[in-house]
Amino acid sequence: MTVRPTHTLFPHRPVPALPSEGMIGVIAPAGPGTLDADKAVQWMRARGYGLRIFPGVYEKDGYLAGSDEVRLNDLHAAFADPEVDAIICLRGGYGTPRLLDRIDYDLLGRHAKPFVGYSDITALHLAISRYAGFVTFHGPLLNADLLGDKEPPTVTSFFAMLRGQLKAGSVIAHPAAWPLTTVEPGIAHGRLLGGNLAMIASTLGTPYEIDAEGVILLIEDVNEPLYRIDRLLTQMRLSGHLHKLRGVLVGDVAGVETDALNRLLRQTFEPLRIPVLSGWRSGHCDPNLTLPLGALVRLDAGKQELLLEQDVVSR
């Protein structure tokens, strides 16, 4: 069994826990979507929360949810708003990379709070990790996931993580109904970072690329055939990023046959002698489980277990 070196990384700082009867803000920093506001407000109210909808949610500029200025203003406003306790994104699509060099990371850092999304939102997770240094959450989008009647673990995982029901030393539960695959056994300690593989690869060579040193890499994707997944992983290998990793957690790679994917994963990661666990229900899938990005975790691929090594929210 391979045990990767104990981490020496500083943890990202936890964010304030989502309080009971708190306010959740919704923004659309990427693609446009149609929000049934009444349904969304009632859904949140039934679970004890208010919903604040920022103006860009209702806008559309081609394949973007409003202009860059509108989407950037909503991002800043949601973080700066003292009444907003957590932020969830309406949908993914495309658009967040256009904002990265215009974001006020000092503002975000001063008003750190739970920030949730996946897919194109990965670019924001990576940039916040590098320049603001607080934990964010790879988790459900408002339209596709919370309002999309997904399997119950989607919602329970979301609230458990943001409310602080999982503490340092807690195992992050994965439902037995969706089996995992140990691609490469072993134990690793490190900071969990990543998200959408195509988005991670698109930031390489920019100031917003993933800081892969000592990281347990989370990857997921959709609408990418196997050869493109191969190309993206090869790009990360040739750029030197894979060699810095301590482990890999593979979420859902929608549309790719499982055995073929795992064969590619073995070809890619076996030479690196790091643990790889595949099949985690995170990403464009049902259920879509919430994971804390920037947090120190322990991955035991043999036991198929992911354990928190720090608190991700504070009270």
Side-chain angles (χ1 to χ4, degrees), residues 148-187:
D149 297 323
K150 288 204 169 181
E151 294 282 352
T154 299
V155 176
T156 56
S157 171
F158 171 77
F159 283 117
M161 194 70 72
L162 270 61
R163 289 169 176 164
Q165 294 168 355
L166 299 178
K167 306 287 188 182
S170 298
V171 172
I172 301 176
H174 190 275
W178 291 273
L180 297 165
T181 299
T182 300
V183 177
E184 293 293 333
I187 299 171

Side-chain angles (χ1 to χ4, degrees), residues 39-40 43 47 140-156 178 285-288:
K39 177 181 178 181
W43 191 96
R47 289 155 182 83
L141 300 166
L142 182 60
N143 260 5
D145 298 280
L146 295 189
L147 302 181
D149 297 323
K150 288 204 169 181
E151 294 282 352
T154 299
V155 176
T156 56
W178 291 273
C285 55
D286 185 11
N288 179 13

Side-chain angles (χ1 to χ4, degrees), residues 134-277:
F134 58 84
V135 172
T136 61
F137 298 91
H138 188 275
L141 300 166
L142 182 60
N143 260 5
D145 298 280
L146 295 189
L147 302 181
D149 297 323
K150 288 204 169 181
E151 294 282 352
T154 299
V155 176
T156 56
S157 171
F158 171 77
F159 283 117
M161 194 70 72
L162 270 61
R163 289 169 176 164
Q165 294 168 355
L166 299 178
K167 306 287 188 182
S170 298
V171 172
I172 301 176
H174 190 275
W178 291 273
L180 297 165
T181 299
T182 300
V183 177
E184 293 293 333
I187 299 171
H189 306 258
R191 184 181 293 141
L192 183 67
L193 281 178
N196 180 260
L197 178 59
M199 189 56 59
I200 295 168
S202 75
T203 62
L204 297 182
T206 77
Y208 310 97
E209 68 179 2
I210 189 169
D211 180 3
E213 190 65 49
V215 156
I216 293 174
L217 178 68
L218 169 68
I219 55 175
E220 66 84 32
D221 223 314
V222 64
N223 297 329
E224 299 285 359
L226 186 64
Y227 77 89
R228 291 188 186 174
I229 299 297
D230 187 348
R231 183 170 66 196
L232 293 166
L233 290 173
T234 299
Q235 182 182 0
M236 292 194 71
R237 177 178 65 82
L238 294 175
S239 67
H241 286 74
L242 295 189
H243 294 80
K244 300 176 182 179
L245 301 176
R246 291 187 176 161
V248 182
L249 180 65
V250 183
D252 187 65
V253 183
V256 176
E257 197 271 326
T258 301
D259 289 343
L261 174 64
N262 288 334
R263 179 173 180 269
L264 172 61
L265 293 172
R266 288 190 184 93
Q267 290 173 340
T268 303
F269 294 108
E270 185 177 29
L272 303 180
R273 301 180 62 81
I274 59 175
V276 180
L277 181 62

